[in-house]
Structures are given as structure tokens and as C-alpha cells.
Amino acid sequence: MAYVATYTRLVTPQHADKPKYMAMLAAVFGCFVDQQNLLASLPATFDVDTAVGAQLDVVGQWVGVSREVSVPITGAYFAWDTAGLGWDQGNWQGPFDPTSGITALDDGTYRVLIKAKIGANHWDGTLPSAKAILDGVFTGGSKTIIQDNGNMTITFGVAGTQPSVLLRAILSQGLLPLKPEAVHVDGYVMTSQDGTPLFGLDVENGYIAGLDVGALAIDL
């Protein structure tokens, strides 16, 4: 950080004892010091990890993704006795938030979307790298799956911990364009029981498991 004293202490003794003169210099130097400090603060202000509010919106514009969602995200507000919308799950409804649903992502969720969009901007078009990008979005025990159906369609799935309503919307609304050109997305599904793999036959791992272990898939 720059300080006015850095410059005023360079004044020679013949003039440093003149209070009005020193006050004038401090006022002039203050303009340039403030400008230096402002410029020095810009990297952190617009850093994707630290930016908030309007500054984060600007980062999103650079990356190419908006905070606004195309379809209001319903069933995402905090509610008592509603599975998936309790403490640390549902979003608080502000006094100016529409009752129809969330239309703008909060800073935390928007930051995750921006980072994922950065990955998508550098995506090489392969499913393994698409999965790596999704793994950066669905953390905390969620395990993403991209199933190539062998007929020019793919299916996105989430096993393990059920993601929040907002993260589900990021995927199901197509906010992340992670599919090869001309390939159709057949569906977006997740496990019907929190913390379990998806149900599937002849497969046994953390993503898909058989009877008594895997849970049926439901739409996101």
C-alpha cells in the first residue's frame, strides 16, 4: 500500500517545517497515493475467488456467463420440514426476491458457475474432460457421471450426495455447454436416495451399484 508519508518525508529540512507548505504537498500527493492504492486493489477486486456483487458480474461477462437464469429456479427457498431445503440447504428468500423462484444466482453459486464456464471455455470436447469440469461443480460427496448411450445421445447423472437445487439447475438448464456438437442430451438424473450410487446392473462402484446398494435415478 502507498502512503503520503513516503513522499512528504523526502522534503528537505528547509521546507519540512512549513506547515502550510507540507499540508499542500500532502493534499497533492494524496491524489496520486489514492490512485496507486486503487489500481493495486483491482486484481483482488476482480479476482474470481474474491470478487463479489457487481465486480463478480463483470468477471462473469468476461467469461461469458450471466448471473441471471433463463428459467426461475423453483423449490429452492428455505423451508421447515421440507427435505433438501433445511439448514445449509435452502436459500433464504430476500424481501425483493420473486415468489415464483430464484432468478439470479447468489455470489457463491455464481462463482462456482464462472469457474466451471472457464473450464468449459477451454474444453477439448471429450467426455473425460467434461466430467473433470463437472467434478469441480458438484463437490462435497457428489459424483458426476456422463453416460455415452452409443446412439449420439448422452445422459448426465449425479450419484452420492444429492446436490443443491441451484446446482441441479446449473446442469439441467444447460448453463454449462458440456456436450459434443450434434450430440443430444437424453436426460439429467440423480440418485433418489442421498449418499447412494445410482442403480445399475453388472456394475459395482461408487457411481453405480446393484440391488440393495444403488438407488433409482430421478430427474434433476
Side-chain angles (χ1 to χ4, degrees):
M1 177 178 287
Y3 299 93
V4 172
T6 302
Y7 302 97
T8 56
R9 69 187 178 200
L10 299 176
V11 178
T12 59
Q14 293 91 332
H15 304 287
D17 60 347
K18 308 299 189 295
K20 292 184 178 179
Y21 176 70
M22 295 302 294
M24 181 273 293
L25 288 181
V28 173
F29 293 152
C31 299
F32 299 104
V33 167
D34 289 345
Q35 186 178 51
Q36 291 179 55
N37 289 331
L38 173 63
L39 292 175
S41 71
L42 290 180
T45 301
F46 291 94
D47 187 283
V48 66
D49 290 315
T50 54
V52 296
Q55 287 74 32
L56 192 59
D57 290 336
V58 172
V59 177
Q61 291 177 10
W62 290 338
V63 173
V65 62
S66 173
R67 183 191 295 268
E68 307 296 325
V69 295
S70 56
V71 178
I73 303 171
T74 59
Y77 291 131
F78 173 84
W80 292 110
D81 299 325
T82 302
L85 294 178
W87 292 111
D88 298 326
Q89 293 178 309
N91 287 66
W92 293 105
Q93 183 178 4
F96 303 106
D97 291 334
T99 57
S100 59
I102 296 174
T103 57
L105 301 176
D106 61 89
D107 280 350
T109 306
Y110 189 35
R111 194 185 322 278
V112 171
L113 177 60
I114 289 175
K115 289 184 176 182
K117 187 61 167 67
I118 292 173
N121 289 344
H122 296 275
W123 182 42
D124 62 6
T126 64
L127 294 185
S129 61
K131 183 186 180 307
I133 294 170
L134 290 177
D135 285 343
V137 176
F138 297 92
T139 58
S142 297
K143 301 177 180 179
T144 57
I145 304 169
I146 304 178
Q147 174 67 46
D148 185 347
N149 300 315
N151 58 357
M152 294 300 291
T153 69
I154 57 176
T155 301
F156 289 94
V158 182
T161 303
Q162 292 179 337
S164 69
V165 176
L166 293 182
L167 291 182
R168 297 177 208 172
I170 286 178
L171 186 59
S172 62
Q173 289 194 19
L175 300 181
L176 289 176
L178 292 175
K179 72 177 187 67
E181 191 67 28
V183 173
H184 176 69
V185 177
D186 189 51
Y188 302 90
V189 300
M190 70 175 183
T191 177
S192 57
Q193 295 184 23
D194 192 33
T196 63
L198 293 166
F199 174 77
L201 297 176
D202 299 324
V203 179
E204 198 74 33
N205 54 40
Y207 298 89
I208 301 174
L211 294 171
D212 298 325
V213 179
L216 294 177
I218 59 175
D219 291 335
L220 283 179

